[in-house]
Amino acid sequence: MDSRSGSNGPPSAGIPGPPPQQTSTVQPTQNLNQIVVEYLNKKGYSRTEAILRQESANVDAQGKVIHDRAESRGGRKYFDGYIFVYSFLGLVQAQFAEFAKQFFDDYSPAFSRNHEAELRSLAYCLEDHHVESNTTMKLYRDNKYRLTLTQTAYFTLIQFCEQREREGGSVVVHILQQCMHIVTVDRSAAGAERAFVTMLARAEGDYNVPDEDEGIPGHKPGSANTAPDAPSVLTKLALGMPALDTDLTADIRDELEDHDALKPPEPGQNSLIDEFEQKIKREPNDDAPNRDNVPLPAPMARDVAMEVQKIKELRGRLRIDPKASGIGPGVSVTMFTFHNTFDSVNCIDFSGDNMLVAAGTAESYIRVWSLEGKPLPSLSTNRTDKASVPSASRRLVGHSGPVYAVSFSPSIANNESASPSTSSRYLLSASADKSVRLWSLDAWSCLVAYKGHDRPVWDVTWGPFGHYFLTGSHDNTARLWSTDCVSPLRIFAGHDQDVDCVAFHPNNAYVFTGSTDRTVRMWDVNRGSAVRMFTGHTASITAIACAPSGKTLASADDAGTVILWDLATGRLAKRMRGHSKGGIWSMSWSVESSLLVSSGADCTVRVWDVLQQTDGSGAAKTADGAAGKNDGAVVNSGVSGVPGKKAKARDAAVTADQISAFPTKKSPVYKVRFTNMNLVLAGGCYLP
């Protein structure tokens, strides 16, 4: 008898038995992972085991990924924690094109005010192969962004990110480690710009701009060396005025004594010889450059006459005292407006003797006018020559492209017929045809065409003593020339983009260049190397001017901001705002280096008090050094500080150091200049 346990009866009964038991072959994912981990551990594959443990920690029982950390969300991780450019770059390189576009659209408006140009460059870079052809993206990809933080701020940031690690903090920490060069400083030793009072004033005001040492690749403030291990010691500068030639000094003294004897000074007025001696004493010689480093031609009678006339104007000038009790000095502006130009004028310049004005046009010619309306003299005696016909204006033709800059040779007003002429004899012009031309204002013809740049030349200016001149070009270089040599004497290369504006130091030993790359560089003429680099602008540099004292540099940008730099320390002295966007095209200093005048595309001329102490954001400081709330970091007085006009949302905020603003009627102001008598000339074109 075949017995079976649990039988329901014999087989013949036809009653089915229970189904056979089957062992389940489906194991939970976690059990399988555990089995594999134990196997890897047994075999000694420790690295693979660690990776599997990390990945399996974020899956459920069915093997689905649990997105409890930002890193596990793919392209979405940058939406939880981001540093804009590097997060956008990470999305593009990981080929998350849809996420990259959404990320850009969501977060780019927060940076549009100070980084409009970069955002335009990034807007259409959504694929990995776009990076190679995009200058901005390559710059960020190949370099680390330098950022200076106090130690307290840095540790607070890291602690905050660690506390919110799963919400995106780990993503931010990864970017900080891989893409940024963080420099930590002690707040107590970092200076006034990182004091709590200063930072609170910036937070209350409209202040959101990078620090002067921030950026790619970043650098120590003022240093032209961008290497991360660059020494902190800056190159010592010789900012004093060079001593006059011995024979020239003796001739000047003789002339001044003769003038004093012929016309004695009025009661309470210094004699000319005393004024000259005081000027020499005011100019320190211990930090003056050697005259032989930048040699000049032997002095002539014209040089003596010019120095004598400078002393006369120095004594008779309108004296501008420092600002007191919140009331600035009364400065008037003489405005010359050009009509019917049809937006063809690119540049304007006034001669140093205030007798001539020149304009460069888009039609490739230059027009020179007499400011007095008198016929311009000419050496030509040929009656068939147009230059011999008396006229209050002359047309100079020779360039084959638009003229972007003109500059008169140094001159000074002199009404004495017996002395040598001190009027402007030459005019320089820079053009899109890649050449610079030297024009004779006696024969009204071109003397020399200087060719060396291989792109359009944007700017040209004479040195303070003549003979030398400086050019800036679309080829990213500036070049130093002398009138007696057709080849450049120095080539200043270092900017990443166009050199838009150039200027000389008053002692002729240094030159300055401003670029589209938003940096200003100071170059040693003798060595041909950069000795300072100034960063802090958020837009292309459009104008630069060095103070007559030789200690301060003013630079202006396309966003309407003026920054003052201390040349000795290489640090930012103050930031001044008031102009609207569109560019500040011209700046000039008063004789005392206490006032700055600026003009530009917003159709205004503005006067600034450069001596007023601020906290760096534009807020005026009170006597105890704190930021004064009466003036405030930003003030609005009508349209961009122009009284009597209703302010609009798009108008620029005005800092407390603006003394006055002179609006024009639809006339962008191309040129503004302080004369030696501390009077202001301005020129622009009416564009209805």
Side-chain angles (χ1 to χ4, degrees):
M1 185 174 184
D2 186 11
S3 66
R4 295 181 176 86
S5 62
S7 173
N8 294 322
S12 60
I15 301 174
Q21 292 184 351
Q22 297 181 358
T23 304
S24 175
T25 58
V26 179
Q27 296 287 340
T29 303
Q30 292 181 349
N31 293 342
L32 290 177
N33 289 340
Q34 184 64 29
I35 293 172
V36 175
V37 167
E38 292 176 355
Y39 172 78
L40 294 174
N41 184 30
K42 182 178 180 180
K43 293 295 184 179
Y45 301 128
S46 57
R47 185 174 180 181
T48 307
E49 175 195 354
I51 295 174
L52 180 59
R53 285 183 182 276
Q54 181 179 0
E55 293 182 352
S56 62
N58 292 321
V59 296
D60 58 13
Q62 285 72 39
K64 296 181 179 180
V65 177
I66 303 173
H67 297 289
D68 64 340
R69 295 177 61 88
E71 299 97 312
S72 62
R73 300 186 62 194
R76 281 286 178 184
K77 65 182 180 181
Y78 292 115
F79 289 77
D80 297 326
Y82 73 93
I83 296 177
F84 182 78
V85 175
Y86 287 112
S87 298
F88 181 70
L89 178 61
L91 288 171
V92 171
Q93 291 183 318
Q95 300 182 2
F96 291 114
E98 293 293 332
F99 286 149
K101 186 177 186 306
Q102 182 181 351
F103 180 86
F104 186 88
D105 293 340
D106 290 348
Y107 298 113
S108 63
F111 307 94
S112 60
R113 175 174 180 179
N114 294 323
H115 301 279
E116 184 176 355
E118 292 96 325
L119 291 178
R120 284 199 302 267
S121 176
L122 299 177
Y124 301 101
C125 185
L126 300 176
E127 301 289 344
D128 191 24
H129 63 272
H130 294 166
V131 176
E132 292 299 328
S133 59
N134 190 296
T135 304
T136 303
M137 290 290 270
K138 287 177 62 178
L139 189 67
Y140 280 93
R141 183 195 66 184
D142 299 337
N143 297 275
K144 289 189 175 183
Y145 191 96
R146 174 181 169 127
L147 180 65
T148 301
L149 297 174
T150 62
Q151 295 174 352
T152 303
Y154 177 70
F155 293 139
T156 302
L157 173 62
I158 297 300
Q159 184 179 10
F160 177 84
C161 291
E162 289 177 346
Q163 291 174 350
R164 289 160 177 79
E165 181 180 3
R166 294 179 179 272
E167 293 85 1
S170 58
V171 177
V172 175
V173 171
H174 176 76
I175 296 176
L176 291 176
Q177 293 174 342
Q178 300 298 322
C179 305
M180 302 190 68
H181 175 210
I182 305 296
V183 179
T184 58
V185 296
D186 185 0
R187 184 177 61 82
S188 60
E193 67 273 10
R194 299 193 184 276
F196 281 131
V197 175
T198 302
M199 290 187 287
L200 289 174
R202 292 177 178 179
E204 292 177 359
D206 187 10
Y207 189 87
N208 184 22
V209 292
D211 290 332
E212 55 190 301
D213 61 342
E214 179 181 334
I216 290 181
H219 68 118
K220 292 180 172 59
S223 175
N225 190 344
T226 58
D229 57 348
S232 58
V233 179
L234 298 179
T235 304
K236 181 176 174 56
L237 303 179
L239 301 177
M241 295 299 293
L244 293 173
D245 181 82
T246 305
D247 295 336
L248 178 61
T249 303
D251 292 340
I252 294 173
R253 283 197 174 95
D254 292 341
E255 287 291 329
L256 294 177
E257 289 174 354
D258 292 343
H259 281 82
D260 284 335
L262 185 63
K263 188 177 180 180
E266 297 179 0
Q269 188 180 47
N270 290 337
S271 65
L272 293 176
I273 192 67
D274 290 340
E275 196 76 30
F276 179 64
E277 296 295 343
Q278 290 181 10
K279 179 185 177 183
I280 295 177
K281 291 180 181 178
R282 284 197 298 267
E283 296 175 351
N285 293 323
D286 54 343
D287 65 342
N290 191 335
R291 291 182 63 89
D292 296 333
N293 291 341
V294 187
L296 294 168
M300 304 176 66
R302 170 187 167 88
D303 300 311
V304 177
M306 288 191 66
E307 292 297 329
V308 169
Q309 193 62 27
K310 286 180 183 178
I311 299 300
K312 289 183 178 180
E313 293 189 348
L314 182 66
R315 185 181 68 174
R317 75 186 187 281
L318 170 66
R319 298 183 182 272
I320 298 178
D321 296 324
K323 183 177 178 181
S325 303
I327 302 175
V331 177
S332 298
V333 179
T334 301
M335 177 71 184
F336 294 88
T337 304
F338 295 80
H339 292 265
N340 302 321
T341 62
F342 305 104
D343 201 16
S344 64
V345 172
N346 293 329
C347 54
I348 294 174
D349 191 33
F350 296 98
S351 62
D353 59 359
N354 310 319
M355 300 297 291
L356 302 175
V357 60
T361 68
E363 284 80 11
S364 309
Y365 69 87
I366 303 154
R367 176 73 73 175
V368 182
W369 289 270
S370 168
L371 291 177
E372 294 183 337
K374 297 179 179 179
L376 296 173
S378 174
L379 295 179
S380 177
T381 58
N382 185 1
R383 294 186 178 182
T384 61
D385 187 2
K386 291 183 179 180
S388 64
V389 180
S391 175
S393 68
R394 299 285 183 180
R395 182 170 166 171
L396 304 176
V397 180
H399 284 292
S400 59
V403 178
Y404 294 125
V406 289
S407 180
F408 283 101
S409 61
S411 61
I412 194 168
N414 188 358
N415 297 324
E416 297 183 8
S417 57
S419 63
S421 172
T422 58
S423 60
S424 291
R425 298 181 58 191
Y426 305 105
L427 177 73
L428 286 168
S429 59
S431 170
D433 63 11
K434 301 180 283 188
S435 72
V436 176
R437 289 181 178 263
L438 178 69
W439 305 86
S440 169
L441 300 183
D442 295 325
W444 302 103
S445 61
C446 180
L447 300 178
V448 187
Y450 301 94
K451 298 181 180 180
H453 290 287
D454 56 8
R455 296 289 180 87
V457 185
W458 300 132
D459 197 16
V460 62
T461 186
W462 284 93
F465 307 115
H467 189 65
Y468 297 101
F469 62 92
L470 184 66
T471 57
S473 169
H474 183 43
D475 63 9
N476 302 355
T477 68
R479 306 189 184 215
L480 180 74
W481 311 73
S482 67
T483 53
D484 57 356
C485 183
V486 295
S487 300
L489 305 178
R490 295 284 188 275
I491 299 178
F492 303 109
H495 285 289
D496 297 326
Q497 299 182 44
D498 302 26
V499 177
D500 295 319
C501 48
V502 294
F504 274 88
H505 189 275
N507 66 12
N508 210 43
Y510 303 98
V511 296
F512 305 93
T513 55
S515 172
T516 306
D517 65 10
R518 298 175 298 176
T519 67
V520 178
R521 293 177 186 248
M522 181 180 184
W523 308 81
D524 187 311
V525 170
N526 186 40
R527 293 183 294 173
S529 59
V531 292
R532 293 287 188 273
M533 183 171 71
F534 307 104
T535 57
H537 284 281
T538 60
S540 301
I541 311 300
T542 53
I544 49 179
C546 188
S549 65
K551 298 179 180 179
T552 308
L553 177 72
S555 59
D557 60 31
D558 203 37
T561 300
V562 180
I563 299 182
L564 302 183
W565 308 94
D566 186 319
L567 296 180
T569 62
R571 301 303 299 265
L572 185 151
K574 65 189 303 187
R575 191 184 300 265
M576 306 185 296
R577 289 173 293 169
H579 283 278
S580 301
K581 286 188 176 181
I584 298 174
W585 295 339
S586 180
M587 295 187 295
S588 182
W589 291 82
S590 65
V591 175
E592 298 85 359
S593 301
S594 58
L595 293 185
L596 181 73
V597 62
S598 61
S599 65
D602 64 350
C603 304
T604 64
V605 176
R606 299 175 187 267
V607 184
W608 308 91
D609 181 3
V610 302
L611 299 181
Q612 179 177 345
Q613 296 296 318
T614 66
D615 61 1
S617 65
K621 285 187 176 180
T622 58
D624 59 357
K629 199 166 184 177
N630 291 334
D631 288 331
V634 174
V635 294
N636 274 316
S637 176
V639 179
S640 294
V642 179
K645 293 191 178 182
K646 189 176 180 180
K648 300 179 182 179
R650 66 176 181 270
D651 294 331
V654 181
T655 51
D657 24 35
Q658 177 179 296
I659 295 175
S660 52
F662 300 87
T664 65
K665 185 178 181 180
K666 298 181 180 179
S667 298
V669 186
Y670 294 71
K671 182 69 176 182
V672 66
R673 185 174 70 84
F674 261 112
T675 69
N676 293 333
M677 300 291 286
N678 270 339
L679 306 176
V680 180
L681 299 179
C685 299
Y686 179 65
L687 301 177

